[in-house]
Amino acid sequence: YVNIAFSYVEISIPTRLSGTMKFLKADLYASDSITAKPVILIQTPYNKALYRLTGQINKSLSSIYDTANYNYVILDWRGFYANKFQDTSGYNRGLDGYDVVEWISNQKWCNGKIGTWGGSALGQIQFLTAQENPPHLICAAPFIKDFKTKYEDYYYGGDFRKEHCESLEKLGLGNTPLILANPIKNNVWKFVENQNKSAEKINIPMFLCTGWFDHFPSDVIRAFEDLQTKSAPSVKGKHKMIIGPWLHSGIDNLQQGEMEYPEAVGEAARFGKYFLDFYLLNRPNNWENYPVLSYYEINGNWKFASNWSDIKREKDTLYLNEQYRLTEYPPFPKMSPIEQFPDTINYNPLNPSPTMGGSRFNPTNKDLPVGPIDISKTVENRNDILVYTSDTLNSDYIINGKTNIELFFKSNREDSDFSVRLCDVFPDGKSYILTQGIKRARFRETTTIEKLLVPNELSSITVELSDLSYKFQKDHRIRIDISSSNYPMFDLNLNNGKEMYKAGDTLSATNLIYRTNSNASKVIFSIPINISSVINTEVNDDILIFPNPASNELNISNLIPISKIQIFDIEGNEIKNEFKVNANFINVNLQNYVNGIYYIKYSNPKGTFIKKFVISK
């Protein structure tokens, strides 16, 4: 068959599966069917016939479509499209992958080297195939996918990922009734997770990719670090990863939601091509010296690291304060009569806060707004949401890692949800959603046990947001939106405290957020430590530290109320210490410190300050 710029032929590939239909249909794309070349295998549940369209080939394979150097095999999964009638329930598709790889390796148009490519479900099948260790599989590039299947894939903070799971069901990739039958992280989920073959089974180099606006960037990062530490010793140091400012369905694109990131266009495909060329063509393109981890700091630049966990970070806290402000200092007792009253969320499940933008997944609606979009007029102007905003930033503020929102609350119901959105407020007032999270109150302690609320009793809950590298720019503001729903991304809490995901009484809830000195609701950011900036930003505030140089102890005096104190060594590593508070000063025990230069970082209502001291014993 010929279609303008390329040609293909449908082939039948034998597999080990017994029965009358042992063959799987695939398409071979080749400049000719005689010349032996490396083969790139793509296994898809999304219809191989779509690749026969020139536009789809260009969109899906981008810069890796190179028939001068490669042949391509695109295969429908067992049970899908051309192989629809060959489904066998519960069969390990990784075995199909093994059989297909080994059959290809024996064809005259293959030189014995095979690599795999693709994202999401196409990434999952690569992990399954690689874990079977077919001898002729040389490398794999699974994008936007973790190799584990687990409870958290379907429940976020104990709340059903409604839109995501129902979308998977429509694609033939999910089982919503089974998922909803197990809303607690029980032994069923433990069994499912234990069935995942782990990183120890991987013995080929892999190139992973995800995006900050993807569904599960933190899971893909964890998968990569598992590969780095647990895969076969021969390949531990050969895996690489790239993280861009991308949506799940927008890898390498310029447009992400309402934002554009020209510095990241085509980078995943470019890196992927170098990866494939290095391992399949033996091309001397310096791939072995490329950074292990390349990630894009949104509104900043590309950054590089050996892995995500090795980046030096500290915690920085912003507090929910009076007049719906986010501040560096906590509320103080009797600071203001207004401060003593909690803020109220009135949540009616029959009129929930709508999902707008963010990392939602609904491929059946191509016009659905996703990613970083302005939600100031669609979400934040409603009367069922609390909007806390920082002052205008007088310098850039960078977050790097996970964000936790710790809330003290009361509810008049036995159960409810707490939903959080993190936004960047531009100078023109538009508020762009960056990421979101939710936690169901009955799972506030653990998702393995339900613990209902005592109505009107003070409780606490933590909502975790996914990893993110983002620069809030000068003259922008940081915003946290808190509501009790984000629908249909997450299912609705009926607030009745009864069995979940069953029809029942739908009750409105009044949820109170507290922000007193003793119950300070807060946002805890992970921020990168830049020791050079620490050294250069030392400020002479009113506090005194003595003696300096110190030997066995250090005293800090002339304090006004301080939100926190931290100590760092010269390399930016935080030194954990319990501070002894006396009447007029704080005492720091230095018995376990070694000689050297250290920095005290402290915050108060005036701002954040750094002071240097020396230990000499």
Side-chain angles (χ1 to χ4, degrees):
Y1 301 88
V2 178
N3 190 337
I4 307 174
F6 58 89
S7 61
Y8 67 89
V9 61
E10 189 168 69
I11 56 178
S12 294
I13 302 177
T15 67
R16 75 187 73 181
L17 188 60
S18 61
T20 58
M21 292 181 279
K22 297 172 63 175
F23 291 86
L24 295 178
K25 293 180 180 179
D27 288 344
L28 167 65
Y29 292 78
S31 56
D32 65 74
S33 59
I34 299 174
T35 306
K37 300 175 185 176
V39 172
I40 296 175
L41 169 65
I42 296 169
Q43 303 174 77
T44 179
Y46 300 132
N47 193 355
K48 68 181 177 63
L50 294 177
Y51 288 81
R52 298 173 183 177
L53 305 174
T54 304
Q56 182 67 20
I57 280 284
N58 291 339
K59 177 182 176 182
S60 301
L61 301 186
S62 188
S63 65
I64 72 158
Y65 192 67
D66 173 14
T67 52
N69 291 293
Y70 295 101
N71 293 326
Y72 298 81
V73 172
I74 302 178
L75 170 87
D76 280 333
W77 283 11
R78 182 181 298 278
F80 290 80
Y81 294 96
N83 298 314
K84 178 179 180 180
F85 299 108
Q86 302 208 42
D87 192 22
T88 299
S89 179
Y91 188 68
N92 175 11
R93 291 192 176 95
L95 298 177
D96 280 340
Y98 181 104
D99 295 341
V100 169
V101 167
E102 291 308 297
W103 180 84
I104 291 172
S105 71
N106 289 315
Q107 305 310 301
K108 61 183 178 181
W109 37 264
C110 179
N111 69 354
K113 288 187 172 185
I114 298 160
T116 56
W117 178 271
S120 196
L122 286 70
Q124 178 189 30
I125 193 68
Q126 291 184 73
F127 285 120
L128 294 175
T129 299
Q131 288 165 352
E132 298 301 324
N133 297 314
H136 291 89
L137 183 61
I138 305 301
C139 60
F143 283 14
I144 48 179
K145 194 71 180 76
D146 176 16
F147 57 78
K148 287 187 176 181
T149 301
K150 55 194 183 303
Y151 172 83
E152 290 77 11
D153 294 344
Y154 309 101
Y155 291 92
Y156 192 120
D159 202 323
F160 179 56
R161 297 177 185 258
K162 179 179 173 63
E163 189 172 44
H164 185 97
C165 293
E166 291 178 352
S167 295
L168 292 177
E169 184 85 22
K170 292 174 184 176
L171 295 171
L173 301 172
N175 188 334
T176 300
L178 178 62
I179 294 167
L180 288 177
N182 295 278
I184 301 172
K185 194 172 183 180
N186 54 21
N187 288 330
V188 172
W189 290 110
K190 293 176 183 177
F191 175 80
V192 168
E193 189 164 345
N194 288 336
Q195 296 309 297
N196 292 282
K197 293 188 177 180
S198 63
E200 286 91 342
K201 298 290 185 179
I202 302 296
N203 64 8
I204 59 170
M206 288 190 158
F207 174 53
L208 273 62
C209 167
T210 189
W212 296 126
F213 304 128
D214 189 14
H215 313 322
F216 304 105
S218 295
D219 289 343
V220 180
I221 290 170
R222 193 229 73 251
F224 179 66
E225 297 198 343
D226 282 353
L227 290 172
Q228 287 183 296
T229 57
K230 299 176 183 178
S231 61
S234 60
V235 297
K236 276 183 180 179
K238 295 181 179 180
H239 309 298
K240 297 186 191 295
M241 182 177 185
I242 187 171
I243 312 172
W246 302 314
L247 287 156
H248 186 79
S249 58
I251 300 297
D252 277 350
N253 292 347
L254 172 66
Q255 191 80 26
Q256 307 290 332
E258 295 175 1
M259 297 286 110
E260 292 184 352
Y261 302 104
E263 300 88 351
V265 173
E267 287 298 286
R270 183 172 69 88
F271 273 55
K273 185 63 161 53
Y274 291 157
F275 168 75
L276 295 171
D277 287 352
F278 181 78
Y279 285 106
L280 297 179
L281 299 178
N282 297 321
R283 184 164 288 172
N285 56 15
N286 202 36
W287 174 256
E288 69 272 32
N289 294 320
Y290 271 60
V292 174
L293 170 64
S294 305
Y295 69 93
Y296 187 73
E297 178 186 277
I298 298 177
N299 300 324
N301 298 298
W302 283 99
K303 306 285 185 179
F304 310 102
S306 57
N307 65 52
W308 186 245
S309 297
D310 281 352
I311 298 170
K312 294 184 183 298
R313 301 179 177 91
E314 60 177 314
K315 300 298 183 183
D316 194 48
T317 302
L318 295 183
Y319 295 88
L320 278 56
N321 223 317
E322 62 177 338
Q323 298 176 337
Y324 304 106
R325 293 184 299 148
L326 281 179
T327 63
E328 291 183 305
Y329 56 89
F332 295 108
K334 300 179 182 178
M335 183 182 215
S336 159
I338 300 174
E339 195 276 332
Q340 304 303 316
F341 297 100
D343 297 326
T344 303
I345 301 170
N346 292 309
Y347 164 48
N348 179 2
L350 299 179
N351 183 24
S353 179
T355 299
M356 293 290 172
S359 59
R360 66 190 304 185
F361 176 61
N362 188 347
T364 60
N365 184 350
K366 301 298 183 182
D367 298 323
L368 197 72
V370 296
I373 67 170
D374 174 27
I375 62 171
S376 60
K377 299 293 192 297
T378 55
V379 175
E380 294 175 347
N381 64 346
R382 291 169 55 95
N383 61 6
D384 60 354
I385 192 166
L386 298 175
V387 178
Y388 297 91
T389 310
S390 73
D391 291 337
T392 300
L393 299 174
N394 55 23
S395 62
D396 294 341
Y397 182 85
I398 299 171
I399 63 173
N400 184 288
K402 286 184 171 60
T403 297
N404 286 339
I405 296 86
E406 297 181 0
L407 301 175
F408 288 90
F409 74 96
K410 290 181 182 179
S411 177
N412 66 335
R413 301 301 180 190
E414 291 184 293
D415 192 26
S416 199
D417 289 347
F418 290 88
S419 167
V420 175
R421 298 168 173 98
L422 173 63
C423 299
D424 181 353
V425 184
F426 280 51
D428 62 4
K430 291 182 178 179
S431 179
Y432 291 89
I433 181 172
L434 306 177
T435 186
Q436 69 291 303
I438 200 166
K439 178 67 74 71
R440 182 146 289 188
R442 70 175 73 195
F443 294 121
R444 63 196 179 279
E445 295 181 3
T446 174
T447 52
T448 60
I449 300 174
E450 296 179 82
K451 183 179 180 182
L452 294 177
L453 298 169
V454 176
N456 302 312
E457 180 176 281
L458 187 69
S459 299
S460 63
I461 197 167
T462 298
V463 181
E464 182 179 281
L465 305 184
S466 187
D467 283 285
L468 178 65
S469 180
Y470 192 88
K471 178 190 287 186
F472 290 91
Q473 295 173 297
K474 180 183 177 182
D475 298 326
H476 288 222
R477 291 175 291 161
I478 302 168
R479 177 169 288 173
I480 290 289
D481 298 335
I482 304 173
S483 62
S484 288
S485 54
N486 184 347
Y487 183 85
M489 177 177 276
F490 304 111
D491 210 346
L492 298 173
N493 196 320
L494 302 184
N495 300 320
N496 59 29
K498 298 178 181 178
E499 184 178 0
M500 295 178 290
Y501 314 114
K502 300 288 185 181
D505 295 335
T506 301
L507 305 177
S508 292
T510 300
N511 297 325
L512 306 178
I513 302 298
Y514 283 79
R515 42 178 178 70
T516 63
N517 181 261
S518 56
N519 299 301
S521 296
K522 61 183 78 73
V523 183
I524 303 174
F525 289 115
S526 299
I527 64 173
I529 296 174
N530 185 339
I531 194 62
S532 61
S533 67
V534 169
I535 295 171
N536 294 329
T537 55
E538 183 173 350
V539 175
N540 289 320
D541 192 30
D542 296 331
I543 74 163
L544 299 175
I545 58 174
F546 61 92
N548 189 10
S551 55
N552 293 319
E553 66 177 17
L554 186 77
N555 297 302
I556 308 171
S557 67
N558 283 359
L559 297 171
I560 60 176
I562 284 181
S563 64
K564 65 181 178 182
I565 294 178
Q566 296 168 285
I567 295 179
F568 299 92
D569 64 19
I570 189 66
E571 295 181 350
N573 301 302
E574 184 176 357
I575 310 298
K576 299 297 182 182
N577 203 311
E578 292 188 6
F579 302 102
K580 183 179 180 180
V581 181
N582 295 297
N584 298 313
F585 64 92
I586 290 177
N587 178 263
V588 183
N589 188 332
L590 304 177
Q591 293 287 345
N592 296 324
Y593 286 53
V594 298
N595 290 347
I597 297 174
Y598 294 82
Y599 298 89
I600 292 179
K601 179 179 179 180
Y602 59 98
S603 302
N604 62 36
K606 294 182 178 180
T608 299
F609 303 96
I610 304 289
K611 275 188 176 289
K612 181 170 64 177
F613 70 94
V614 177
I615 296 179
S616 178
K617 298 183 180 181

